[in-house]
Amino acid sequence: MPGVDEKDREILRILREEGRITLTELGRRVNLSPASVRNRLDKLERLGAVKGYSAVVDPAFLDEYVSVFFELTLAIDDHTVDPLLRKVAEMENVESLYRRSGGRQILIKAHFHDTDEVKAFAGRLKRLFGRNLERVEATLIIDAFKECWISLR
């Protein structure tokens, strides 16, 4: 990536695992002043290397005990689907949304209070995509061992 050096990559690796690290501590680890780290972070944000900052929250603390992967097979997958994908991305239950290669072009990770909400969400997807949706597969996530670069065990 142009404009990103090894020191920037080192900062990004540390941030990925410790998003709440102070500029002072981050600077100590990469041998830079806090001001230099701030300047590099500003640059990395402008370049889009840092897309945002957030906490990794256990969905159970929000009474969301059912986590599901949805795999969607579309009849047509081109730019005309993008507005629909943006609507899915805005749905409260959706944690992650990906377009991918292969037979099942769309992958969604979402969290729910119960299986009734899972069924209702699948119905919303069917209505939203209409005839363009050939198949929806839902897979219950039984346990997580690592998420967002953080080991959970």
Side-chain angles (χ1 to χ4, degrees):
M1 173 72 58
V4 177
D5 62 17
E6 190 52 41
K7 192 71 76 171
D8 293 331
R9 287 183 189 86
E10 189 176 351
I11 289 170
L12 291 171
R13 281 190 284 275
I14 293 168
L15 274 180
R16 183 169 62 186
E17 294 181 15
E18 300 177 57
R20 292 182 56 162
I21 192 169
T22 65
L23 293 177
T24 302
E25 177 60 18
L26 186 53
R28 187 188 66 72
R29 291 202 201 167
V30 297
N31 296 318
L32 292 173
S33 71
S36 293
V37 170
R38 174 79 266 158
N39 290 336
R40 284 177 177 262
L41 283 175
D42 289 344
K43 174 189 75 171
L44 291 167
E45 289 171 7
R46 279 192 313 276
L47 291 172
V50 176
K51 298 195 181 284
Y53 300 90
S54 66
V56 179
V57 177
D58 184 339
F61 282 87
L62 299 173
D63 294 327
E64 297 172 344
Y65 298 103
V66 182
S67 297
V68 178
F69 283 118
F70 290 89
E71 296 177 288
L72 280 57
T73 304
L74 304 178
I76 299 170
D77 184 17
D78 60 19
H79 70 281
T80 62
V81 177
D82 291 354
L84 300 177
L85 293 176
R86 282 192 279 280
K87 286 182 181 181
V88 173
E90 292 172 3
M91 293 178 182
E92 185 177 329
N93 300 77
V94 174
E95 174 187 305
S96 306
L97 171 62
Y98 306 95
R99 174 182 272 137
R100 62 186 193 178
S101 63
R104 291 171 285 224
Q105 303 98 321
I106 307 300
L107 177 65
I108 302 166
K109 182 179 181 186
H111 305 285
F112 305 93
H113 294 99
D114 55 40
T115 55
D116 287 338
E117 281 190 1
V118 174
K119 289 186 272 187
F121 183 82
R124 285 177 71 191
L125 292 174
K126 289 175 184 176
R127 287 188 300 280
L128 182 64
F129 286 93
R131 290 183 171 178
N132 194 27
L133 184 61
E134 290 183 348
R135 184 180 176 102
V136 176
E137 292 184 38
T139 304
L140 182 69
I141 300 170
I142 302 297
D143 206 353
F145 291 86
K146 184 175 183 178
E147 286 187 329
C148 301
W149 308 100
I150 297 170
S151 292
L152 302 177
R153 303 271 178 224

